[in-house]
Amino acid sequence: MTLSQPVDLAPYASDPLRSRGRLYDEGEQAVERDAFQRDRDRIIHCGAFRRLQYKTQVFVYHEGENYRTRLTHSLEVAQIARSIARSLSLNEDLAEALALAHDLGHTPFGHAGEDALKACMEPWDGFDHNAQSLRILTKLERRYPCWDGLNLTWETLEGLVKHNGPLVGPKADRRNEGRELPAAILEYAALHDLELDSFAGPEAQVAALSDDIAYNAHDIDDGLRAGLFTPQDLQDVPLIGPILAVTSNQHPDLEPVRLIYESGRRLITSMVLDLLQESRQRLAEAKPKAVQDIRLADGPLISFSAEMQAHDSALKGFLFPNMYRHFRVNRMTSKARQVVHDLFDVLVHEPGLLPPDWQYGCDGASTPRTARRVADYIAGMTDRFALDEHSRLLDPTVKP
């Protein structure tokens, strides 16, 4: 895959020199790093980012060391996002920062853990991993003497919250109609208006689609290597089926591990090139003169073609029953959900069992504040820590 290296940013790219700034003014004057580079570096150095190493996508951490974790996934998304941003003359550093931050709010045990925590928090304003990422970046990270969170720029937080599109107003996804926005998003937007009724900037749109590309490629890779399905099972699936067939015809004696890797590489290339072609066409037709023109457009200007969107849906349609609902994965996720439910139940009723620094902010058993504090504690756990904490709290043979 050959991507161009632009000399200058496009006029509609996010320019760090024109950033809308941070909630707390830091008087930035250093010239060695611009505002978006600082955001990226703060994300990489925060505790929540490090913990992604032991938070899994589909497989629980002890199932095998070679499957993707939230950390490896985020790094793959960041690599794809930087490449696309560079080719479209967008801001690479902002695209990378958004890619690295997009999964910070995920619970242990992948989507099974999130589903369990959502159910636990239903009486107390629910749980949403995107809102949890915002809480981490604006409240829960405690590193600086004058404010909570990382004090990231408006553009990074706006892109994080709206990377999948507007949250309110006529342009919002109709699937969200009637759903209340999480309190964390509403509270922060009241302080630092994130313009929830508009699209995010182009770098956020790039990061969102880079996430889709990375997911498809590595879930096929992990599923094949785990033996959940075979290359023959994929032969009728759009996009990946033809790629596997062409690769096998060109290299008839290729060993399976090389076939899987080469097909995944070609899948990423096909999706990236489609995105670049479609996005260039949309940008040429819309003729945005500034980044705000992209935010106020009638639809996303960074996009797959209609054909690729159909392929993407078909691929996800295959993965859902054959991987995410495979009986082996179901067995793992069932146990994972029970662990989260058990942890929440015991801690929300007995907040005195929380570590001392996490007891701060609790105001009694089974109150909204305590429930949110417990949810923050559980959401920040790694798979391994959650299992160990479950044993410490509920197994009488294990020392607390």
Side-chain angles (χ1 to χ4, degrees):
M1 175 169 45
T2 302
L3 298 173
S4 60
Q5 177 66 51
V7 176
D8 299 310
L9 292 177
Y12 44 79
S14 298
D15 186 344
L17 298 178
R18 294 184 175 87
S19 170
R20 299 194 195 184
R22 308 178 188 276
L23 182 60
Y24 303 100
D25 183 22
E26 300 181 25
E28 295 177 82
Q29 297 179 358
V31 297
E32 71 277 7
R33 289 182 301 164
D34 64 40
F36 300 151
Q37 290 169 341
R38 285 177 179 273
D39 282 2
R40 176 201 59 207
D41 295 349
R42 290 180 184 189
I43 291 164
I44 289 173
H45 288 285
C46 77
F49 184 75
R50 292 194 300 274
R51 288 192 293 274
L52 295 179
Q53 180 177 1
Y54 297 106
K55 290 189 177 189
T56 44
Q57 297 284 111
V58 177
F59 300 95
V60 178
Y61 85 97
H62 59 262
E63 292 292 325
E65 296 180 350
N66 294 319
Y67 300 126
R68 263 66 171 195
T69 66
R70 291 285 177 193
L71 180 62
T72 55
H73 167 67
S74 296
L75 294 174
E76 290 176 6
V77 176
Q79 181 272 321
I80 294 170
R82 283 199 73 106
S83 296
I84 294 171
R86 182 183 306 124
S87 189
L88 294 175
S89 300
L90 301 175
N91 191 290
E92 294 181 45
D93 297 312
L94 179 57
E96 181 181 22
L98 289 163
L100 295 173
H102 82 283
D103 267 358
L104 291 179
H106 274 288
T107 65
F109 311 127
H111 292 292
E114 181 176 357
D115 290 343
L117 199 50
K118 278 183 179 178
C120 292
M121 283 295 293
E122 189 173 352
W124 295 288
D125 192 41
F127 178 85
D128 176 85
H129 75 264
N130 201 36
Q132 190 68 16
S133 296
L134 184 66
R135 282 180 62 78
I136 288 168
L137 294 173
T138 59
K139 287 187 175 183
L140 300 180
E141 283 290 332
R142 299 164 63 191
R143 305 175 63 87
Y144 299 98
C146 298
W147 55 75
D148 292 332
L150 302 185
N151 198 33
L152 303 181
T153 61
W154 183 92
E155 288 79 7
T156 297
L157 295 176
E158 181 242 11
L160 178 76
V161 168
K162 302 189 307 186
H163 61 274
N164 286 324
L167 300 182
V168 298
K171 299 176 185 177
D173 192 327
R174 291 290 173 249
R175 290 174 296 181
N176 295 326
E177 194 168 349
R179 295 170 57 185
E180 292 186 11
L181 291 184
I185 294 176
L186 293 174
E187 289 171 7
Y188 188 83
L191 297 173
H192 204 190
D193 185 8
L194 299 177
E195 299 177 358
L196 301 179
D197 60 344
S198 67
F199 286 91
E203 291 82 5
Q205 296 181 31
V206 164
L209 295 179
S210 299
D211 187 27
D212 280 348
I213 294 170
Y215 253 123
N216 286 341
H218 68 53
D219 280 358
I220 289 173
D221 182 59
D222 283 350
L224 286 169
R225 289 190 293 109
L228 302 184
F229 48 84
T230 68
Q232 289 70 36
D233 295 327
L234 291 164
Q235 63 183 357
D236 294 326
V237 179
L239 191 61
I240 186 60
I243 287 174
L244 281 164
V246 169
T247 305
S248 297
N249 289 335
Q250 291 177 341
H251 307 280
D253 298 321
L254 203 59
E255 60 188 292
V257 65
R258 294 180 189 267
L259 173 65
I260 293 169
Y261 177 81
E262 177 63 15
S263 298
R265 188 181 71 84
R266 295 185 183 195
L267 174 65
I268 292 173
T269 298
S270 296
M271 297 190 77
V272 168
L273 292 179
D274 177 272
L275 185 152
L276 291 176
Q277 181 178 356
E278 179 68 18
S279 300
R280 285 175 176 140
Q281 181 175 331
R282 292 189 181 202
L283 289 165
E285 292 172 355
K287 298 181 174 61
K289 294 180 172 57
V291 64
Q292 195 64 3
D293 294 336
I294 290 183
R295 293 193 176 97
L296 298 177
D298 292 331
L301 298 186
I302 308 299
S303 177
F304 295 125
S305 67
E307 181 182 24
M308 184 58 72
Q309 290 178 39
H311 290 340
D312 181 57
S313 295
L315 189 49
K316 287 178 170 61
F318 172 85
L319 288 171
F320 188 83
N322 291 283
M323 183 170 185
Y324 310 137
R325 291 295 180 266
H326 191 282
F327 85 93
R328 282 170 50 195
V329 175
N330 284 342
R331 290 180 176 185
M332 290 185 289
T333 57
S334 176
K335 290 184 283 187
R337 284 193 298 269
Q338 190 61 53
V339 168
V340 172
H341 278 287
D342 289 347
L343 287 172
F344 186 88
D345 188 60
V346 68
L347 292 172
V348 80
H349 288 100
E350 298 184 69
L353 298 177
L354 287 163
D357 55 336
W358 281 97
Q359 292 182 33
Y360 176 78
C362 295
D363 59 353
S366 301
T367 66
R369 288 185 63 185
T370 296
R372 182 57 60 188
R373 193 70 173 148
V374 171
D376 288 339
Y377 180 56
I378 294 174
M381 293 179 179
T382 63
D383 293 14
R384 178 168 56 186
F385 184 86
L387 293 170
D388 290 345
E389 188 76 332
H390 188 268
S391 296
R392 286 189 290 264
L393 287 170
L394 295 167
D395 187 342
T397 67
V398 176
K399 292 182 178 181

